[in-house]
Amino acid sequence: MLNHGVQILPARGQEAIDTALKADLVILNTAVAGKWLDAVLKDHVPQVLPKILWWIHEMRGHYFKLEYVKHLPLVAGAMIDSHTTAEYWKTRTHDRLNIQMPQTYVVHLGNSEELMEVAEDNVARRVLREHIRESLGVRSEDLIFAVINSVSRGKGQDLFLQAFYQSLKLIQHQKLKVPKMHAVVVGSDMNAQTKFETQLREFVAKNGIHDHVHFVNRTLVVPPYLAAIDVLVQNSQARGECFGRITIEAMAFKLPVLGTAAGGTTEIILDGTTGLLHPAGKEGVMPLAKNIVRLASHVEQRISMGNRGYARVKERFMEHHMADRIAVVLKEVLQKSRQHSHS
């Protein structure tokens, strides 16, 4: 950030207060940033509220606490990653906290130019694909279905592995001829294996599918894995992802996506066109298993869905699309905050 000319200040102290008071616009990033207002600004909160744009990325229930969001009705505006999430925040704050959301703007995220450069470089993709597959012990002709996310119950790795196991049984029962299939779970923590991850590994061992399932340590560098796999599974549960950046990143690599019909995922994936949707929860296990079999059996569908997903990314989910949308929001909120200060 310093290399890009961004000044970085301590979050607490007089300098933070002075900066917030002098600023034309203050952006709170994430729902929990609301606690910073009372803790740091204290008596100056009323002066700053009318020039705050609150950028919210969360949708889990524990964020809906008055200590976090009690000032929401008085800020200049809120910015949220998806229409589904925005509607959820509107309903939940009203019903649970009896407060009103401010004017809310929806801004979908976009892929960075750096990621697109890798995704569109055929040589780089081939090298990365070969390297990762070799490290996993997976042949070039095998099929990989992967979840790339932090390993937790909310991300649905358990239900994904159940669905993958069922897909193997379906293929065997229907005597389908498909390449050997692998499930890859990227996002493990090898140093501090949780009870949930232990249960995942026990499921694999119990059902004898250890030669089909691979666990990969969590990483911030996802392009190599996107280059190596054939299908991304976005299996976030309950209300799903607010948006799910990994979904548009996978689409940039021309991968079809199997996603839960929940949250912002429904605003990214065109069901039957760029991927396939299945219900969240246990009722989604068999539909996901059938979708895995469907894509394993039809290479032309995988390719066509991947190509359409890539076209959709280029049309609306690029970094410059996101920048344009944010610019419109910033101009409108800035104008509103200035009008308030003049009045």
Side-chain angles (χ1 to χ4, degrees):
M1 292 178 75
L2 288 170
N3 291 338
H4 286 81
V6 179
Q7 188 177 3
I8 300 174
L9 306 174
R12 296 176 178 270
Q14 191 60 44
E15 192 176 14
I17 296 172
D18 293 342
T19 302
L21 290 173
K22 288 187 294 184
D24 296 300
L25 190 65
V26 175
I27 299 175
L28 294 186
N29 188 22
T30 78
V32 294
K35 292 180 72 175
W36 173 84
L37 293 170
D38 290 320
V40 176
L41 297 185
K42 299 177 182 176
D43 296 337
H44 303 287
V45 171
Q47 294 167 261
V48 178
L49 287 179
K51 53 184 181 181
I52 286 178
L53 173 63
W54 205 324
W55 197 356
I56 295 172
H57 311 273
E58 302 90 355
M59 197 163 43
R60 295 181 186 175
H62 61 266
Y63 291 104
F64 293 88
K65 295 180 180 177
L66 274 177
E67 62 179 304
Y68 293 153
V69 299
K70 65 182 179 182
H71 295 301
L72 256 177
L74 300 175
V75 303
M79 187 161 63
I80 296 181
D81 299 344
S82 71
H83 293 281
T84 304
T85 307
E87 187 59 33
Y88 181 74
W89 269 86
K90 179 182 177 181
T91 303
R92 191 71 181 261
T93 51
H94 178 269
D95 294 348
R96 181 169 176 173
L97 303 177
N98 197 29
I99 63 174
Q100 299 293 327
M101 286 289 289
Q103 183 166 353
T104 302
Y105 307 87
V106 173
V107 173
H108 288 145
L109 306 181
N111 281 331
S112 69
E113 292 296 334
E114 291 80 3
L115 180 123
M116 295 303 297
E117 285 178 8
V118 178
E120 295 173 339
D121 186 332
N122 291 331
V123 175
R125 287 177 60 184
R126 185 172 69 249
V127 170
L128 292 172
R129 181 180 177 89
E130 291 173 357
H131 171 69
I132 294 298
R133 283 178 171 249
E134 183 179 351
S135 70
L136 294 173
V138 175
R139 300 173 303 179
S140 60
E141 65 269 24
D142 292 353
L143 284 177
I144 297 180
F145 294 78
V147 170
I148 304 177
N149 228 321
S150 56
V151 173
S152 67
R153 200 170 299 279
K155 302 300 182 181
Q157 286 91 352
D158 54 341
L159 300 178
F160 162 58
L161 290 179
Q162 291 175 33
F164 181 77
Y165 174 63
Q166 291 299 326
S167 73
L168 295 177
K169 292 173 66 175
L170 286 171
I171 287 168
Q172 183 179 28
H173 178 72
Q174 297 174 19
K175 298 180 180 179
L176 299 174
K177 292 185 177 181
V178 301
K180 183 177 179 180
M181 292 177 11
H182 299 263
V184 175
V185 176
V186 180
S188 298
D189 189 343
M190 302 302 187
N191 298 319
Q193 193 169 303
T194 64
K195 179 181 178 182
F196 177 68
E197 187 167 334
T198 300
Q199 291 172 348
L200 298 182
R201 294 173 186 269
E202 289 175 348
F203 175 85
V204 171
K206 177 183 176 183
N207 291 285
I209 54 174
H210 49 85
D211 59 334
H212 291 272
V213 180
H214 312 264
F215 293 90
V216 176
N217 209 18
R218 58 186 179 184
T219 176
L220 295 176
V221 185
V222 298
Y225 294 96
L226 293 174
I229 70 177
D230 299 287
V231 178
L232 179 81
V233 180
Q234 173 58 285
N235 206 41
S236 294
Q237 297 300 303
R239 291 173 291 276
E241 292 284 319
C242 285
F243 184 81
R245 184 184 288 275
I246 189 64
T247 304
I248 58 173
E249 291 175 339
M251 290 161 66
F253 278 77
K254 298 185 177 180
L255 297 175
V257 181
L258 302 179
T260 46
T265 301
T266 59
E267 296 169 34
I268 307 172
I269 299 173
L270 298 179
D271 191 25
T273 300
T274 65
L276 298 168
L277 296 175
H278 58 274
K282 292 181 179 179
E283 59 268 32
V285 169
M286 282 311 298
L288 174 55
K290 291 176 181 177
N291 288 342
I292 291 173
V293 173
R294 176 175 167 179
L295 291 190
S297 309
H298 298 91
V299 61
E300 71 285 350
Q301 278 195 14
R302 294 201 306 272
I303 294 172
S304 63
M305 285 181 174
N307 287 333
R308 290 173 190 148
Y310 171 78
R312 184 163 168 80
V313 161
K314 295 289 282 188
E315 179 186 340
R316 63 176 60 199
F317 296 130
M318 294 289 289
E319 200 169 54
H320 67 86
H321 296 130
M322 177 182 172
D324 290 344
R325 290 189 285 263
I326 290 178
V328 171
V329 176
L330 291 180
K331 288 176 183 176
E332 187 169 326
V333 174
L334 188 57
Q335 183 178 22
K336 185 190 299 183
S337 66
R338 283 174 173 164
Q339 287 173 348
H340 183 276
S341 64
H342 291 145
S343 63

